[in-house]
Amino acid sequence: MTEKKPPSSWTVLSWMPGVVMAVVAVVDVVAGPGVGFLPLVSLGPAFSGLVGGWRRTAVFGLVALVLCVGLGLYDGLFEERRGFTAMASVAGVTGVGIAAAVMRSRREGELASVRSIAEVAQRVLLRPVPLTAGPLQAAVSYTSAVAEARIGGDLYEVVASPHGIRVIVGDVQGKGLAAVETAAVVLGAFREAAHDEPDLVGLGERLERSLARELEGEKFVTAILAEIGARHEAVFLNYGHPAPMVVRQDGAVDFSQPLAYALPLGLGVPAGDGPKPYRVDFAPGEQLLLYTDGVTEARDEDGCFYPVGERVHLLKDPDAHRALEALRADLAQHAGAPPHDDAAMLLLRYHGHEKGKSAPNSCASPDA
């Protein structure tokens, strides 16, 4: 047997005008003309103007006016001014309700247009990653800390270049439109340089130069660049970003740390002082998870960071998108509240069958 769902607040509000007018009519007939309930009929078109269009408000206004005339004749109110006063009240409230409904409809139309344009801009900036890139299957998850927004200061991209599959995951300092603008600069430079530069060092230097032209003040971007080529390995270049997580075929987890973390992009690193590339084995059947600190620094009610390394069992689903969605849902459950920071995750699977095993739960540091 299907459980009946409770009516939504919108449904309740849509029925409210008719219910109010019916109640007022019944009370007026029962209590008599001495109580003076008749002007309250105007509440019908007033409530209608809150949730309906101007035509609906006008219909309820006409119904209220007819009801007002009928009750006024029944109560004998037109022998004095009270009946005409009630009619004037209904007409005035209906007129104001119609004007409010028209204004609200225009604002909703403008808001819908702005949202449509914003969604297009968001899709251009953070476009969907390819389902497959060379030997890799890719899936992405993005949770913005800003309500009603799909993007923020985190960024990601996967590019199939002549030099291999090149990937970036980054985190812009700050939030809001300024962070989105900076993310756009980084992504634009990466998409172009990923095809031109023969190695990751040159790619990173291109990003550094692009940000040096655009950034003002002390803004910066933590980022990790990755390249997966024909060999069974991944090459990383880390600009102060959380270490990537490699999931081996037996379920073991490897957080690939660089020999030394470099300064984030945008801080004007002198030539020769940039990050050094390092290599990590990455073979068929293994998984690579790149993420931002919005994942590892998410805290539960006890103040424990999210132990992403202990959630590897959630990535066992054969479908990469479902596996990443399970991890995202677990992250949201761990936090138990709206996110305080953007959280991006990019999962790359080397084609092949992988096996995962769970790890015990504990309260770990974000760098575990």
Side-chain angles (χ1 to χ4, degrees):
M1 182 176 179
T2 303
E3 183 180 355
K4 182 181 290 185
K5 295 182 180 180
S8 65
S9 58
W10 185 265
T11 302
V12 173
L13 288 175
S14 65
W15 282 97
M16 188 64 71
V19 173
V20 168
M21 290 191 297
V23 170
V24 171
V26 171
V27 173
D28 183 82
V29 170
V30 173
V35 181
F37 272 107
L38 188 56
L40 294 179
V41 175
S42 60
L43 290 175
F47 280 120
S48 179
L50 294 175
V51 296
W54 70 268
R55 291 184 178 86
R56 187 172 185 270
T57 303
V59 170
F60 275 105
L62 180 60
V63 172
L65 194 61
V66 170
L67 187 60
C68 185
V69 171
L71 292 175
L73 292 173
Y74 176 79
D75 294 334
L77 299 181
F78 288 104
E79 298 176 0
E80 47 186 302
R81 294 181 179 179
R82 292 172 58 190
F84 296 101
T85 302
M87 290 182 63
S89 175
V90 171
V93 171
T94 300
V96 172
I98 291 175
V102 170
M103 294 176 62
R104 191 190 69 252
S105 178
R106 289 178 179 175
R107 287 196 299 268
E108 289 176 350
E110 293 173 355
L111 180 59
S113 177
V114 170
R115 284 181 174 175
S116 177
I117 295 173
E119 288 180 358
V120 172
Q122 290 171 342
R123 286 196 296 268
V124 171
L125 178 57
L126 281 184
R127 58 196 183 193
V129 298
L131 297 179
T132 58
L136 305 179
Q137 181 185 14
V140 69
S141 168
Y142 195 107
T143 303
S144 175
V146 180
E148 302 298 330
R150 295 188 178 183
I151 59 174
D154 289 358
L155 56 96
Y156 58 84
E157 183 60 287
V158 178
V159 173
S161 77
H163 314 287
I165 309 302
R166 288 181 166 175
V167 180
I168 183 172
V169 171
D171 185 358
V172 179
Q173 175 206 21
K175 298 181 178 65
L177 291 177
V180 174
E181 291 174 357
T182 303
V185 172
V186 176
L187 287 173
F190 175 80
R191 287 164 181 164
E192 178 181 358
H195 291 278
D196 300 336
E197 297 297 333
D199 54 50
L200 285 186
V201 174
L203 175 55
E205 291 174 350
R206 282 275 293 272
L207 297 182
E208 192 71 67
R209 290 195 297 269
S210 297
L211 283 173
R213 291 192 299 266
E214 299 292 339
L215 291 187
E216 298 178 358
E218 298 180 353
K219 295 181 181 179
F220 60 86
V221 181
T222 68
I224 186 165
L225 305 181
E227 179 180 289
I228 297 95
R231 300 177 179 178
H232 292 165
E233 64 179 12
V235 183
F236 296 108
L237 205 59
N238 196 313
Y239 291 88
H241 199 76
M245 183 177 79
V246 180
V247 183
R248 304 301 179 185
Q249 294 191 56
D250 61 358
V253 175
D254 177 17
F255 287 91
S256 304
Q257 305 279 355
L259 296 177
Y261 280 90
L263 292 176
L265 293 166
L267 293 183
V269 178
D273 293 338
K276 306 300 181 183
Y278 62 102
R279 301 174 183 274
V280 175
D281 292 338
F282 185 44
E286 297 181 337
Q287 304 182 78
L288 172 63
L289 181 68
L290 306 173
Y291 49 87
T292 60
D293 59 9
V295 176
T296 52
E297 294 183 0
R299 297 174 182 261
D300 62 11
E301 58 184 7
D302 297 324
C304 292
F305 291 107
Y306 183 68
V308 62
E310 299 175 4
R311 299 297 196 265
V312 62
H313 61 281
L314 297 174
L315 299 177
K316 292 191 299 183
D317 194 296
D319 184 88
H321 296 85
R322 288 200 301 265
L324 195 58
E325 183 57 34
L327 189 62
R328 175 179 179 173
D330 185 72
L331 174 64
Q333 183 178 7
H334 174 86
H340 298 290
D341 194 7
D342 301 326
M345 294 184 288
L346 177 63
L347 179 64
L348 299 174
R349 284 182 170 177
Y350 215 124
H351 284 307
H353 181 68
E354 69 282 356
K355 300 177 182 179
K357 65 179 181 180
S358 61
N361 188 13
S362 64
C363 181
S365 68
D367 296 328

